[in-house]
């Protein structure tokens, strides 16, 4: 299927999302901070990034902007999965280049549906 990078500093949540995505047939890379996420994104070129906003060592919004500014990652889809639920946060994420936005707590089923939708747009 697709190569997906999951970037969330909550290891339990990172593991849950990874497990659900792998069960759906995807190859999953994992990061628990923004620097590692950016390094994996540039080195591995995932099809999609599931990105938390509140990451250590570089927040998700910064990672999103960096990915969008890298022409080699132009086809990479970004889904923000975050506890930040205010309307202004959603607007900032979309302005930075996110294509989907899910707030925590979330439904794993909804996450998989949105991942499928984003990946189908890439093809």
């Amino acid at each position: 299927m697709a190569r997906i990078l999951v970037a969330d500093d909550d290891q339990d949540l990172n593991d849950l999302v990874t497990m659900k995505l792998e069960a759906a047939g995807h190859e999953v890379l994992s990061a628990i901070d923004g620097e590692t996420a950016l390094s994996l994104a540039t080195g591995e070129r995932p099809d999609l990034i599931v990105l938390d906003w509140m990451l250590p060592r570089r927040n998700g919004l910064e990672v999103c902007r960096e990915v969008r500014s890298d022409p080699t990652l132009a086809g990479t889809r970004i889904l923000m999965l975050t506890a930040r639920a205010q309307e202004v946060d959603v607007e900032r994420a979309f302005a930075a280049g996110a294509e989907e936005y899910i707030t925590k707590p979330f439904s794993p089923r909804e996450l998989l549906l949105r991942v499928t939708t984003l990946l189908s747009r890439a093809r």
Side-chain angles (χ1 to χ4, degrees):
M1 292 282 278
R3 178 180 289 170
I4 300 174
L5 170 59
V6 175
D8 198 303
D9 61 325
D10 179 328
Q11 190 64 60
D12 290 337
L13 186 60
N14 196 313
D15 292 345
L16 171 69
V17 173
T18 295
M19 178 185 70
K20 293 293 184 183
L21 292 171
E22 286 177 343
H26 301 291
E27 175 187 350
V28 181
L29 308 164
S30 179
I32 58 169
D33 65 72
E35 285 293 327
T36 303
L38 193 53
S39 177
L40 283 169
T42 56
E44 299 292 330
R45 293 192 187 164
D47 301 299
L48 175 102
I49 302 172
V50 177
L51 185 61
D52 184 20
W53 186 315
M54 297 171 45
L55 293 170
R57 297 186 55 212
R58 192 172 270 209
N59 71 48
L61 211 56
E62 293 171 315
V63 172
C64 187
R65 285 187 190 112
E66 288 288 328
V67 167
R68 288 293 170 243
S69 71
D70 185 337
T72 67
L73 296 172
T76 302
R77 304 293 183 209
I78 299 175
L79 182 153
M80 297 292 292
L81 178 62
T82 179
R84 296 186 69 132
Q86 300 219 347
E87 189 173 319
V88 67
D89 297 325
V90 177
E91 291 170 359
R92 289 177 64 200
F94 284 127
E99 295 165 272
E100 285 285 352
Y101 196 96
I102 300 175
T103 57
K104 299 174 187 175
F106 67 99
S107 158
R109 185 172 182 201
E110 179 186 3
L111 173 67
L112 290 175
L113 289 169
R114 295 217 195 171
V115 163
T116 300
T117 299
L118 278 174
L119 292 172
S120 69
R121 286 184 204 161
R123 292 191 180 102

